[in-house]
Amino acid sequence: MFQTETHISCLFPEILAIIFSYLDVKDKGRVAQVCAAWRDASYHKSVWRGVEAKLHLRRANPSLFPSLQTRGIKKVQILSLRRSLSYVIQGMPQIESLNLCGCFNLTDNGLGHAFVQDIPSLRVLNLSLCKQITDSSLGRIAQYLKNLEVLELGGCSNITNTGLLLVAWGLHRLKSLNLRSCRHVSDVGIGHLSGMTRSAAEGCLTLEKLTLQDCQKLTDLSLKHVSKGLSKLKVLNLSFCGGISDAGMIHLSQMTQLCSLNLRSCDNISDTGIMHLAMGSLRLSGLDVSFCDKIGDQSLAYIAQGLYQLKSLSLCSCHISDDGINRMVRQMHELKTLNIGQCVRITDKGLELIADHLTQLTGIDLYGCTKITKRGLERITQLPCLKVLNLGLWQMTESERVR
């Protein structure tokens, strides 16, 4: 009886394509150079599904976009832009994701020449740190990118409330909007997004994620607009928004779909604000109040009472102690991540309480907790699910070192 050896060259192209799909991007390109059979298999669209092409657009390359289209690639990140943006849009008419983050030389004029007709396939547009972009570009985007679902404008410091009115007028399918450090945005702009000016714009009422980090002109009125108009919102980032206060938390407390709330470095949020959140209808899974120096042990009692479904809680540099930990841990059965770095009043007693009751913890941050010792750490490391332990500034004293 004869036995024949099976070589990899005998595999069907469909099998090769499945194998190649597990390779990283560089290796996908390399296997195409082995032989004609591998090249043909590597060009199968299933091999490149979900891949984002990272391009330096410097000189003309007639084969670039046909090659990307053959592979079925529909996501592009432009690392440097020395050619017209219209070169990309014309070359990839079915583009789904365009990342221009950090393309500092992109102007309203350049974007205007690229977006001259409807691009129904484009779902994701990242203009973060494109500092020359203004409201004029948002008008183009609102006019021609009607199916856009994700718009990143972080660091676009020339965007104003007028730009948000245009977004609210044209982008009715938007699910995620990032306005980080858009310093001119105020309550009026958030009102536009929330549909408060229906005579001019319907609003972006499908929003599920809104990032307003470091938007210094926002007040509690913005939170009132958000709670009234953006009922589908799941993730809200208000970190470094110094103009919001405890009173604004009353509005947010009624947002039943909200899952994640970031209040990091919001200086006017105190125990009273946490009380409002805990007494409302929220079912938060993530809360960050790090560096809110008016947050103390009383907040932990409120959290245990009304926000006990939390899976992630960040309290870095808050004025909490072992007493606050004691008032919280017995109710927080679902907590998986606890960040209490730089909480300098926490001692081994607090760590023992955490080890005894927060048995589902997978990660804990103890960076800068200077009063903990080896004894407390030994208890923490016995947590059955623990995968991440951040100690940072903590150091054992000489007498505690293992000799």
Side-chain angles (χ1 to χ4, degrees):
M1 196 168 181
F2 295 99
Q3 267 190 331
T4 58
E5 268 191 42
T6 302
H7 190 266
I8 192 169
S9 61
C10 302
L11 293 177
F12 289 114
E14 295 82 2
I15 302 299
L16 285 172
I18 293 172
I19 295 170
F20 295 162
S21 69
Y22 288 97
L23 300 176
D24 61 32
V25 175
K26 283 186 178 180
D27 287 337
K28 290 179 198 288
R30 287 175 180 140
V31 296
Q33 300 172 29
V34 172
C35 63
W38 282 32
R39 180 197 63 208
D40 294 343
S42 71
Y43 269 52
H44 197 280
K45 291 183 179 181
S46 65
V47 175
W48 299 89
R49 187 176 292 121
V51 169
E52 181 182 59
K54 301 179 187 296
L55 308 176
H56 289 281
L57 292 186
R58 293 169 178 163
R59 61 179 73 87
N61 183 351
S63 66
L64 175 60
F65 293 117
S67 176
L68 294 179
Q69 289 191 70
T70 300
R71 292 172 167 86
I73 292 177
K74 298 180 180 180
K75 298 179 181 180
V76 174
Q77 180 181 3
I78 307 301
L79 300 174
S80 59
L81 185 64
R82 298 184 185 176
R83 294 182 58 79
S84 169
L85 182 60
S86 57
Y87 176 63
V88 180
I89 301 302
Q90 292 168 10
M92 299 190 69
Q94 299 302 312
I95 191 169
E96 294 179 357
S97 174
L98 177 60
N99 186 345
L100 293 157
C101 178
C103 289
F104 306 112
N105 57 337
L106 180 66
T107 63
D108 288 335
N109 193 37
L111 193 143
H113 283 135
F115 297 158
V116 294
Q117 61 185 24
D118 290 342
I119 310 175
S121 61
L122 195 59
R123 299 289 193 274
V124 179
L125 177 62
N126 190 338
L127 295 174
S128 298
L129 300 175
C130 295
K131 294 182 178 293
Q132 297 188 63
I133 292 300
T134 73
D135 297 337
S136 174
S137 287
L138 292 189
R140 286 274 182 173
I141 290 166
Q143 183 176 1
Y144 295 121
L145 308 183
K146 298 287 189 183
N147 292 329
L148 207 62
E149 295 179 0
V150 178
L151 179 58
E152 299 280 338
L153 297 171
C156 294
S157 52
N158 289 312
I159 298 299
T160 73
N161 294 329
T162 301
L164 296 192
L165 177 61
L166 293 167
V167 168
W169 166 76
L171 302 182
H172 299 145
R173 298 188 178 186
L174 204 61
K175 293 182 179 179
S176 177
L177 177 62
N178 186 339
L179 298 170
R180 176 182 55 82
S181 299
C182 291
R183 60 189 178 187
H184 298 300
V185 168
S186 70
D187 298 334
V188 173
I190 304 305
H192 294 326
L193 293 176
S194 304
M196 299 296 113
T197 49
R198 286 191 177 275
S199 58
E202 286 185 32
C204 299
L205 307 186
T206 57
L207 273 177
E208 296 179 3
K209 181 179 181 180
L210 180 59
T211 299
L212 299 172
Q213 178 181 336
D214 194 32
C215 291
Q216 295 295 330
K217 289 188 175 181
L218 301 188
T219 73
D220 294 332
L221 181 57
S222 284
L223 306 190
K224 183 177 181 180
H225 292 329
V226 167
S227 66
K228 279 190 171 183
L230 302 181
S231 60
K232 296 183 179 180
L233 205 64
K234 296 179 181 178
V235 178
L236 179 59
N237 187 338
L238 295 164
S239 56
F240 298 92
C241 290
I244 65 172
S245 72
D246 291 334
M249 299 303 103
I250 299 174
H251 303 301
L252 296 186
S253 70
Q254 304 307 313
M255 299 188 69
T256 55
Q257 298 299 308
L258 198 63
C259 297
S260 176
L261 179 60
N262 190 335
L263 298 169
R264 175 179 285 246
S265 294
C266 292
D267 295 335
N268 292 313
I269 301 297
S270 72
D271 293 336
T272 303
I274 303 303
M275 178 190 70
H276 293 321
L277 293 176
M279 291 178 64
S281 310
L282 288 173
R283 294 185 61 84
L284 289 179
S285 60
L287 177 63
D288 189 343
V289 290
S290 297
F291 303 100
C292 295
D293 58 11
K294 296 176 183 175
I295 298 281
D297 288 338
Q298 187 59 51
S299 284
L300 299 191
Y302 292 137
I303 287 169
Q305 183 180 359
L307 298 173
Y308 47 83
Q309 307 97 338
L310 284 172
K311 290 183 170 64
S312 174
L313 176 60
S314 294
L315 297 153
C316 296
S317 200
C318 291
H319 292 296
I320 60 172
S321 68
D322 297 338
D323 181 54
I325 298 292
N326 186 39
R327 297 162 80 177
M328 177 188 71
V329 288
R330 290 170 180 80
Q331 307 301 322
M332 309 296 288
H333 303 301
E334 298 184 38
L335 199 66
K336 294 187 180 299
T337 302
L338 178 62
N339 297 322
I340 51 175
Q342 299 181 58
C343 294
V344 295
R345 296 164 65 194
I346 301 293
T347 73
D348 290 342
K349 180 182 176 183
L351 297 194
E352 288 167 7
L353 287 164
I354 291 168
D356 287 341
H357 298 284
L358 301 181
T359 55
Q360 299 302 307
L361 273 190
T362 59
I364 185 167
D365 177 13
L366 299 172
Y367 175 93
C369 293
T370 51
K371 289 188 178 178
I372 62 175
T373 71
K374 181 184 173 185
R375 188 186 74 183
L377 281 178
E378 284 178 345
R379 292 297 306 277
I380 284 294
T381 54
Q382 291 169 10
L383 280 165
C385 302
L386 194 69
K387 295 178 180 177
V388 177
L389 171 61
N390 182 22
L391 298 176
L393 294 176
W394 181 87
Q395 290 182 333
M396 286 186 291
T397 63
E398 190 64 33
S399 62
E400 294 161 346
R401 294 186 188 278
V402 178
R403 296 186 182 280

